[in-house]
Amino acid sequence: MSRRKTERLLNLVVCLLATRRYLTAEQIRRAVPGYPDSDEAFKRMFERDKEELRELGVPLEVGSDRLGAGGEEIGYRIPRQAYELPDIHLTPDEAAVLGLAARVWQRASMADAASGALLKLRAAGVETDTAGAPGIEPRLDTGEPSFPALWEAVRDGRPVAFDYQGVGRTRVTRRHLEPWGVVSRRGRWYVVGHDRDREETRVFRLSRIVGEVVPDGPPGSVTVPPGVDVRRIAFTGGDPASEPRPATVRLRAGAAQGPRRWARDVRPVGDGTWDEAVLTFRDVDRFAPYLARFADDVVVLDPPDLREAVIWQLKAALAAHDR
């Protein structure tokens, strides 16, 4: 299902749940974004949408608020009591999982459109039940640019391709993946699937994906093997044990006091404007943003992957400032 259609159906459900009376097709057309201007095109699309909702189990009710033997105009609504779930009793573990999901499910990508539909209904004189309007927040906000494309690929069963910079690598490589799932572990996001290049199950960390994730095959062409536990694979193979590594850096004299507190082998170089030191780190993705905070007071000399990561952080900050 396309995103446009998903938004239209979602707005239609919100619209029909929020009203206490039957809405005519014309009222729905004016209130719900996404319907065409042409009468015939609207009728065809609206008929398909009604069937889609019924197939999804949405209790769409047809009727009229007008009394009389004939002439009344047919309308539609979704009875809240028939739509809402009964009381649900959760175990402590289930409640904890839902609490975690609620913290991840932060931003409603369709909130503006849904609010706009309710506003149009009220402007047309249709009373809406705003106090009981359902909270619908269908977009995950992870901070990883590659997450939306990978999530959609998993949902659609579609292979993808992307550039990836592995641990300790200075160059990116093109990877071709049949994605099975996207999971979070210790605040980091991973995609698990079948690596077509290596012909084996692999785990890729989203923060190491460079550039865009692009489709690499038709929808429905990826099949998750029976019995696959994506979370177990990610948790056991997401990251190799990170061994401490030395980083050789230059610190501007009299500055960068944070790194200086735990630096070793600090010695002045050149004319005394800079000191050279050794810092120990484990994770490039976490250490690079920290060093980048000191801007031109810290220069990474080695290792190359840390140096490139810090340069990337600085360029990204400069680009954001120039926008």
Side-chain angles (χ1 to χ4, degrees):
M1 186 183 297
S2 68
R3 175 175 179 146
R4 182 177 300 177
K5 182 177 181 180
T6 302
E7 290 188 7
R8 188 179 68 251
L9 289 177
L10 176 62
N11 289 325
L12 179 58
V13 170
V14 172
C15 175
L16 296 178
L17 275 173
T19 180
R20 298 176 183 175
R21 51 181 284 195
Y22 292 99
L23 297 181
T24 67
E26 185 58 33
Q27 287 175 317
I28 292 172
R29 180 182 182 177
R30 293 196 301 263
V32 176
Y35 283 117
D37 295 331
S38 167
D39 292 341
E40 286 302 319
F42 165 70
K43 289 178 182 178
R44 291 194 299 269
M45 184 177 290
F46 185 50
E47 287 299 321
R48 290 196 298 267
D49 286 352
K50 287 190 294 182
E51 289 304 315
E52 189 91 30
L53 292 184
R54 291 188 177 104
E55 290 176 3
L56 291 172
V58 177
L60 184 62
E61 188 176 275
V62 181
S64 175
D65 293 314
R66 301 182 185 179
L67 301 177
E72 63 267 20
E73 191 171 1
I74 295 298
Y76 307 87
R77 71 179 180 184
I78 298 175
R80 184 173 295 277
Q81 65 274 14
Y83 181 81
E84 292 177 340
L85 292 172
D87 291 340
I88 299 175
H89 301 284
L90 301 174
T91 66
D93 288 344
E94 292 169 335
V97 170
L98 285 180
L100 175 62
R103 290 195 296 273
V104 175
W105 219 271
Q106 293 177 351
R107 188 183 306 169
S109 64
M110 303 174 208
D112 291 342
S115 300
L118 299 183
L119 183 61
K120 290 178 182 179
L121 283 177
R122 290 194 291 270
V126 178
E127 186 178 1
T128 61
D129 185 7
T130 55
I136 303 175
E137 300 192 354
R139 181 194 292 177
L140 290 171
D141 184 15
T142 70
E144 296 290 353
S146 59
F147 180 89
L150 288 171
W151 183 85
E152 291 177 6
V154 171
R155 180 197 64 190
D156 298 337
R158 167 175 279 180
V160 294
F162 51 82
D163 291 330
Y164 191 76
Q165 184 169 12
V167 179
R169 304 290 180 85
T170 59
R171 295 183 179 180
V172 299
T173 57
R174 193 67 170 173
R175 312 310 292 265
H176 302 83
L177 183 73
E178 297 178 4
W180 297 341
V182 183
V183 298
S184 175
R185 177 194 179 199
R186 298 177 182 173
R188 303 169 184 169
W189 286 88
Y190 302 86
V191 59
V192 179
H194 175 71
D195 187 337
R196 289 180 169 178
D197 302 295
R198 307 291 175 85
E199 289 297 328
E200 62 184 12
T201 301
R202 296 297 296 269
V203 180
F204 296 95
R205 186 162 153 183
L206 268 60
S207 62
R208 296 195 180 110
I209 294 177
V210 180
E212 294 185 4
V213 175
V214 298
D216 193 39
S221 59
V222 174
T223 301
V224 181
V228 164
D229 187 339
V230 173
R231 295 184 63 82
R232 182 186 61 80
I233 295 173
F235 287 9
T236 57
D239 273 317
S242 298
E243 295 296 330
R245 289 200 285 161
T248 304
V249 300
R250 286 194 174 179
L251 310 174
R252 192 181 300 276
Q257 298 303 320
R260 285 180 181 276
R261 292 191 184 96
W262 47 282
R264 56 186 174 85
D265 300 333
V266 181
R267 56 185 179 84
V269 294
D271 59 1
T273 304
W274 294 92
D275 296 328
E276 193 165 292
V278 176
L279 304 173
T280 302
F281 73 102
R282 290 178 179 269
D283 190 331
V284 170
D285 293 335
R286 295 194 176 190
F287 196 48
Y290 170 74
L291 293 181
R293 288 166 44 193
F294 297 95
D296 59 351
D297 288 334
V298 173
V299 177
V300 178
L301 303 179
D302 193 67
D305 59 332
L306 177 62
R307 176 179 172 84
E308 290 186 10
V310 172
I311 292 174
W312 184 90
Q313 290 282 337
L314 294 172
K315 287 181 176 179
L318 181 61
H321 180 270
D322 291 340
R323 280 202 287 267

